[in-house]
């Protein structure tokens, strides 16, 4: 998790998570993470105590955010963690499609290559930091981030179309 406040990266949280389930070979090849690596890592409910205050402070940003929001929704629901019914988020991939329509695609690695942002792709800490740097780049270039904030229904696992109030927009 990379935290941005007032246009600056102010905090980074990196940890493995024990998913308490099997690992698919595709994901092991993609990330290099396997069951032996996470056997002593916190589970999601243990980690939630640490990340909930971070998530409560602002808008969640991710690249291909619909995937991340669905994972968060599933984790909260599967572990019966009551946080809130809805949260606000924005997607740096969707914003990139508008800011840089000429790129061949808008995958995180393509965007980072185009904007000269360091990335060790599919390593969560690097992906998170790169996503934060993309957002800061969009803001620096004057892109209206506020118009891309969406509301996610965490109970039903879907985006709902609800405009954020102005106090939320000011906490990015």
């Amino acid at each position: 998790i990379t935290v941005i406040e007032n246009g600056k990266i102010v905090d980074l949280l990196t940890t493995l998570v024990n998913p308490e389930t099997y690992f698919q070979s595709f994901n092991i090849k993609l990330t290099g993470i396997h069951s032996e690596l996470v056997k002593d890592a916190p589970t999601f409910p243990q980690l939630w105590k640490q990340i909930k205050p971070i998530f409560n402070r602002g808008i969640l940003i991710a690249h291909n955010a619909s995937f991340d929001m669905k994972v968060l929704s599933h984790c909260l629901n599967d572990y019966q963690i009551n946080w809130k019914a809805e949260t606000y988020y924005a997607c740096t991939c969707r914003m990139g499609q508008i800011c840089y329509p000429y790129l061949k695609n808008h995958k995180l690695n393509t965007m980072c290559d185009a904007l000269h942002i360091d990335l060790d792709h599919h390593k969560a800490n690097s992906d998170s930091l790169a996503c934060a740097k993309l957002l800061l780049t969009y803001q620096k270039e004057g892109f209206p981030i506020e118009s891309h904030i969406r509301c996610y229904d965490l109970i039903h696992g879907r985006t709902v179309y609800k405009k954020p109030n102005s106090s939320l927009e000011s906490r990015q």
Side-chain angles (χ1 to χ4, degrees):
I1 297 172
T2 304
V3 179
I4 298 172
E5 290 179 359
N6 300 317
K8 293 187 178 5
I9 294 171
V10 296
D11 200 7
L12 297 166
L13 171 65
T14 301
T15 183
L16 291 171
V17 179
N18 183 339
E20 301 183 283
T21 190
Y22 67 94
F23 281 76
Q24 295 179 345
S25 59
F26 172 82
N27 292 331
I28 294 170
K29 289 177 188 170
L30 186 67
T31 66
I33 299 172
H34 52 81
S35 59
E36 188 63 26
L37 276 177
V38 301
K39 69 179 183 182
D40 296 323
T43 61
F44 183 79
Q46 293 166 331
L47 186 59
W48 181 246
K49 294 172 188 167
Q50 187 175 3
I51 63 177
K52 180 182 176 185
I54 298 169
F55 284 13
N56 279 336
R57 292 193 337 229
I59 300 165
L60 306 180
I61 307 291
H63 202 77
N64 287 320
S66 59
F67 172 82
D68 294 276
M69 297 308 297
K70 188 169 274 308
V71 170
L72 177 60
S73 174
H74 281 293
C75 286
L76 292 169
N77 290 320
D78 289 351
Y79 283 107
Q80 299 176 350
I81 296 171
N82 293 318
W83 178 34
K84 50 186 169 180
E86 299 172 339
T87 193
Y88 289 94
Y89 77 97
C91 179
T92 55
C93 181
R94 292 187 87 110
M95 289 184 254
Q97 292 167 343
I98 295 166
C99 290
Y100 305 98
Y102 53 85
L103 294 177
K104 65 180 178 179
N105 64 56
H106 297 86
K107 296 176 183 177
L108 184 59
N109 59 326
T110 303
M111 298 289 304
C112 288
D113 286 347
L115 297 172
H116 309 289
I117 295 172
D118 290 335
L119 175 67
D120 186 5
H121 203 26
H122 298 300
K123 304 295 184 227
N125 56 343
S126 182
D127 288 357
S128 174
L129 183 58
C131 181
K133 289 180 179 180
L134 282 176
L135 181 69
L136 292 173
T137 299
Y138 301 156
Q139 288 178 316
K140 182 179 172 186
E141 293 179 6
F143 183 74
I145 304 299
E146 299 79 20
S147 64
H148 292 275
I149 296 171
R150 302 289 181 258
C151 184
Y152 199 84
D153 177 339
L154 292 163
I155 306 299
H156 299 101
R158 65 178 182 242
T159 296
V160 292
Y161 295 93
K162 183 187 290 187
K163 185 160 176 57
N165 62 41
S166 59
S167 65
L168 178 65
E169 290 175 2
S170 66
R171 290 189 329 203
Q172 290 185 47

